[in-house]
Amino acid sequence: MTTNCSIHCETQILTPTKGAMVELVATTRHASFTRHFPLADINASPVVVYRWLGECGIVASSEVKNLVLQALSDLPKVRGGWVAEAPGWYDKAFVTPVETIGSDTARIINLATLSPGRRKWQRAGRLDDWRSKIASPLAGSPVAVFALCSAFAGPVLALTEVTSLVFMIVGPSSVGKTTLLELCGSVWGGGEHGFADTFLKSPEEFEVAALGHRDTWLGLDETQLLGSNSHDAAQKFHKVLFRYASERPKKIFDRPSSDQALRGVRFFTSNRSAAEILRGAGLPFDSQEVVRVLEISVDRLSYPVFALGKDT
């Protein structure tokens, strides 16, 4: 722990959701630390700043507290911006949990970097290797090419009138559905455990997953994991499908929804079609009026993903 440091305010950004946000920078002899705070919170009590300094190994002595007050009394000129708590577009910048991309990144406060699942968004290799080990081997399979292209489509939706797309690969076990899902996820990252997720979730976690993949691609594996019996699985699938694929935001599991959580591409794998799953609870499936979902049967199509080696 130390009391020898300097503290200054780097930026002050006025955001539509959090109000004025200030970026404090604390520098010691060995390291520099940065954190954004709502100015209203600091004005209510600077304890939040002192607690952060303690986490950085800086003792909130009287001298350090005076440095904090001096930094807050000399704020830089305020400018407009956004707080990014989820991936996706913020004006002309695109945010992921590991980076902010675009020409206006200085006005983006990327809080998505604090998400617990940020590691799966990290790059795991070089583009040339991805092309040679994944893209090229899949080029001979129309289904695989289409699936891989879907992983790139999320950011494009913001430029169209389409808010959400859902695709579902349907086929028997051991045809490579899960493998394809993992390969599609490599477009966005992968990390140690891969990028794709599963249907083994609580009701609330489906909404969290949607927002956590805003404007990107969310892969969910094995619809049979939805419930312990066909009736429960059908009930949950109906709500998930209606939420993820509806043209306008709906309520999912009695919780309000937003355009932000809705927007993106969802890619499912399943042993049964949507109609077969919903039939388990006597629920209707009307692809014209209720949802937009494209099912692709892989038991009738060439699907050479097993030609890929373990090193992919």
Side-chain angles (χ1 to χ4, degrees):
M1 302 292 283
T2 183
T3 58
N4 186 12
C5 68
S6 63
I7 300 173
H8 72 277
C9 182
E10 186 73 21
T11 61
Q12 181 182 193
I13 297 177
L14 184 62
T15 72
T17 57
K18 300 284 187 179
M21 297 282 293
V22 294
E23 179 186 10
L24 291 181
V25 179
T27 305
T28 67
R29 184 178 302 175
H30 304 289
S32 182
F33 308 93
T34 302
R35 176 71 64 87
H36 289 90
F37 295 92
L39 186 58
D41 289 356
I42 299 178
N43 289 336
S45 174
V47 171
V48 292
V49 178
Y50 305 152
R51 186 179 297 117
W52 164 65
L53 291 173
E55 296 170 356
C56 299
I58 301 172
V59 178
S61 63
S62 298
E63 181 181 356
V64 169
K65 290 180 179 179
N66 287 333
L67 291 175
V68 172
L69 294 176
Q70 183 177 347
L72 294 174
S73 65
D74 188 24
L75 294 175
K77 182 179 179 180
V78 67
R79 55 183 174 175
W82 294 267
V83 173
E85 296 183 277
W89 286 106
Y90 295 85
D91 197 30
K92 297 179 181 180
F94 193 87
V95 168
T96 77
V98 294
E99 61 183 331
T100 303
I101 307 163
S103 59
D104 203 18
T105 58
R107 296 199 297 156
I108 306 297
I109 301 172
N110 189 353
L111 297 187
T113 59
L114 304 177
S115 64
R118 67 180 302 272
R119 286 190 174 185
K120 78 171 191 175
W121 296 80
Q122 293 174 342
R123 297 176 186 176
R126 299 183 308 166
L127 178 59
D128 289 343
D129 292 334
W130 183 87
R131 286 172 173 167
S132 63
K133 295 181 179 180
I134 296 179
S136 293
L138 294 182
S141 169
V143 170
V145 170
F146 178 85
L148 204 60
C149 289
S150 77
F152 289 95
V156 181
L157 293 186
L159 308 177
T160 72
E161 295 181 358
V162 178
T163 54
S164 178
L165 291 174
V166 174
F167 305 104
M168 188 158 78
I169 294 287
V170 181
S173 300
S174 302
V175 297
K177 300 189 304 293
T178 298
T179 302
L180 180 60
L181 204 67
E182 293 173 349
L183 295 175
C184 290
S186 69
V187 169
W188 289 96
E192 184 178 352
H193 303 291
F195 190 87
D197 209 333
T198 75
F199 275 98
L200 188 60
K201 294 183 179 300
S202 68
E204 293 77 12
E205 286 173 331
F206 281 106
E207 182 78 1
V208 173
L211 185 58
H213 296 79
R214 172 181 174 265
D215 285 340
T216 63
W217 181 90
L218 172 62
L220 294 178
D221 195 24
E222 296 292 353
T223 57
Q224 61 185 350
L225 298 175
L226 277 166
S228 57
N229 58 69
S230 59
H231 186 274
D232 290 346
Q235 291 281 358
K236 187 179 289 187
F237 182 72
H238 182 259
K239 293 182 178 181
V240 170
L241 191 62
F242 196 62
R243 172 67 186 92
Y244 282 1
S246 56
E247 294 190 15
R248 289 181 173 79
K250 311 291 182 184
K251 285 187 176 181
I252 181 171
F253 306 111
D254 300 321
R255 296 181 60 188
S257 302
S258 67
D259 281 314
Q260 285 193 349
L262 179 74
R263 208 165 59 197
V265 175
R266 328 296 180 191
F267 208 98
F268 303 161
T269 69
S270 179
N271 287 3
R272 298 183 294 161
S273 69
E276 290 172 330
I277 296 172
L278 295 174
R279 215 176 286 138
L283 297 170
F285 175 73
D286 188 336
S287 61
Q288 296 298 317
E289 297 180 5
V290 181
V291 297
R292 297 189 303 265
V293 57
L294 174 63
E295 291 187 1
I296 305 170
S297 176
V298 297
D299 56 350
R300 299 190 300 270
L301 296 168
S302 172
Y303 200 65
V305 296
F306 289 129
L308 299 175
K310 294 290 186 180
D311 60 341
T312 57

